[in-house]
Amino acid sequence: MALRHEPAASYHSVQDALRVLETVGRRGTGINETGLARETGIATERLTTLLRMLRREAYVEQIADGAYVTGAAFARLGSADGHQQALRDTLQRTLDRLRDRVGAAVYLSRYVDGEVRVTQYADSPATPKVNEWVDFRYSAHATAVGKSLLTQLDHEGRRDHLARHRPARLTSRTITSDRLLLSKLAAQPPTAPVLDLQEYAVGTVCAAVPLTAGSTAGCLALSLPLEHAHRLRRAADTLNRSAAPMLLSLAI
């Protein structure tokens, strides 16, 4: 199985953020924004935006003289001891903030060993998660999570998945035709959110954006009750803009 590699804007943001972090890390006593712009070659306006994100995520901090040094989150993730737990904790904090920002349950998913896996999520009494009435492993054809992951596979990878998990009708909106589904997946723009408009469950709408890290397909998703469907597009756009911090955590 191979992945389609069509870098999204979030990918380029992560590459730039890593350059900033590497530069800050080399300067143990700190480096100011002017110095960062000179050494990284990143335009001032873009650098300011990146630094704002890196400070919010605690990857850098600003000391008394205005210079930037590496922050607590960078130190935790950069340590070999307890890296996986530190990564999980960092991702959970980001998911919790994103849940509150978009007013919806949010999910982090990966495509592992040929299966869809929701690895972490953030919900609340006000933003409950989807009732998983059909195992997500077997319903990729109907969910925003599953379709987002499948769009990141090559054609043969998608065909293999659908051969192992035959598309079943879950609602009147579910696509069960392999040919139609494969056509829609191939036509999906790599940077646009994938939507599920009551294809998995009546009364629920969802959106997902790609979160490819290395050779593993991943995605960031949200779900809303149907009465909040008017918020889905805007929430999906916010989700898309929030992918960079998650990718950065996975890349460190």
Side-chain angles (χ1 to χ4, degrees):
M1 180 199 74
L3 301 185
R4 289 199 308 175
H5 287 288
E6 299 178 66
S10 56
Y11 173 86
H12 296 297
S13 294
V14 168
Q15 295 301 102
D16 286 346
L18 286 172
R19 284 162 60 197
V20 172
L21 280 173
E22 288 167 3
T23 304
V24 172
R26 287 197 304 268
R27 298 292 193 91
T29 58
I31 180 172
N32 61 26
E33 192 165 341
T34 301
L36 279 169
R38 182 176 60 252
E39 293 197 23
T40 62
I42 299 172
T44 301
E45 185 175 351
R46 179 165 177 75
L47 180 60
T48 299
T49 300
L50 287 170
L51 286 170
R52 187 181 304 121
M53 183 268 284
L54 290 170
R55 288 181 65 188
R56 184 180 67 243
E57 302 295 326
Y59 290 121
V60 301
E61 59 184 63
Q62 201 168 19
I63 55 180
D65 63 358
Y68 290 91
V69 296
T70 54
F74 183 76
R76 286 194 299 269
L77 289 178
S79 171
D81 295 331
H83 172 79
Q84 286 303 314
Q85 186 60 50
L87 175 60
R88 186 173 182 82
D89 292 346
T90 298
L91 292 172
Q92 191 62 50
R93 283 192 293 271
T94 304
L95 286 171
D96 290 345
R97 287 199 303 270
L98 184 56
R99 172 202 60 207
D100 296 340
R101 185 178 175 192
V102 300
V106 292
Y107 313 79
L108 181 62
S109 303
R110 310 293 295 277
Y111 194 75
V112 181
D113 297 330
E115 302 293 350
V116 172
R117 301 189 189 281
V118 175
T119 54
Q120 287 179 248
Y121 65 89
D123 67 346
S124 72
T127 57
K129 65 183 179 70
V130 171
N131 173 33
E132 191 178 347
W133 75 284
V134 176
D135 193 314
F136 290 143
R137 290 176 297 173
Y138 311 131
S139 55
H141 64 290
T143 64
V145 162
K147 288 186 289 182
S148 180
L149 294 173
L150 291 177
T151 62
Q152 296 172 62
L153 308 184
D154 61 13
H155 182 70
E156 289 308 311
R158 296 171 196 155
R159 284 171 58 94
D160 172 73
H161 185 92
L162 295 177
R164 289 183 290 109
H165 301 301
R166 301 300 307 158
R169 186 171 300 282
L170 305 182
T171 76
S172 62
R173 293 173 177 264
T174 307
I175 297 173
T176 57
S177 162
D178 282 16
R179 187 170 67 175
L180 179 56
L181 183 60
L182 288 169
S183 175
K184 286 184 172 293
L185 292 173
Q188 173 70 27
T191 59
V194 178
L195 304 181
D196 157 19
L197 305 176
Q198 302 190 90
E199 294 173 54
Y200 174 74
V202 174
T204 300
V205 295
C206 305
V209 297
L211 202 68
T212 305
S215 60
T216 303
C219 74
L220 189 57
L222 64 83
S223 63
L224 287 167
L226 183 60
E227 57 266 30
H228 290 281
H230 62 281
R231 296 202 291 117
L232 184 63
R233 295 279 180 178
R234 181 174 295 181
D237 289 341
T238 301
L239 200 70
N240 221 353
R241 292 193 300 271
S242 303
M246 308 292 287
L247 272 173
L248 184 58
S249 298
L250 294 167
I252 292 176

